[in-house]
Amino acid sequence: MSELKTAPTATTPGTIDTIKDKAATAAHATSDAAHDAAKRASDAAHDAAVRAQDTIETHPLAVLAGGLALGAVVGALLPRTAQETKTLAPLGRKLSAAATAAAATARDVGKEQLTAALPSKDGAKEQLRSVFSNVVQAATDSGKSAIKG
């Protein structure tokens, strides 16, 4: 068998220093790039959190409605098991009955409030007669004052 002989490589102190400098420069550049990327990611996350907080503060009902809609969609997409149906059916009936009753009560109270806020037909006619009478009287008095004075 033949032996493979390699020639010894000669490295000079200048070559080693050059390699060390290039490695240090590359490591520093990589560290700076990683730091910059982490800073940008942190700033973006902070900005998103601030925007989300502002949105929640300025439009809480829209956020709530969006959350409810998202929950409903996710709930509709998940398959229902027999155990869930058995366990949750009575609760669903109770919630449905309570929601129906609450809606009916709100409707009735709204009608009562609206009826109380609006004058009756006869009351409205009387108010218009009174206003018209006052306008006619004021015009008559102004005309008499202008003639006298």
Side-chain angles (χ1 to χ4, degrees):
M1 283 214 226
S2 67
E3 290 183 34
L4 181 62
K5 293 184 180 181
T6 58
T9 57
T11 55
T12 61
T15 305
I16 292 174
D17 289 341
T18 301
I19 293 170
K20 285 181 183 178
D21 287 345
K22 287 183 179 181
T25 301
H28 184 69
T30 303
S31 174
D32 285 349
H35 181 267
D36 289 345
K39 176 74 171 129
R40 285 192 307 273
S42 174
D43 290 346
H46 179 264
D47 291 345
V50 168
R51 283 194 307 270
Q53 183 177 0
D54 289 345
T55 300
I56 290 170
E57 288 176 0
T58 56
H59 306 292
L61 294 178
V63 172
L64 177 64
L68 288 173
L70 181 61
V73 168
V74 170
L77 293 176
L78 295 176
R80 187 178 302 174
T81 65
Q83 182 63 36
E84 287 175 323
T85 301
K86 180 181 173 185
T87 304
L88 296 177
L91 177 62
R93 285 190 293 272
K94 286 179 185 177
L95 288 174
S96 177
T100 301
T105 301
R107 182 193 66 225
D108 294 343
V109 169
K111 282 182 180 178
E112 288 175 13
Q113 293 293 324
L114 186 59
T115 301
L118 295 175
S120 67
K121 189 175 182 180
D122 293 335
K125 285 181 182 178
E126 185 57 39
Q127 285 178 344
L128 284 174
R129 281 189 201 124
S130 176
V131 168
F132 185 71
S133 175
N134 289 340
V135 168
V136 169
Q137 186 63 43
T140 303
D141 291 346
S142 292
K144 286 180 183 177
S145 294
I147 291 173
K148 289 182 182 177

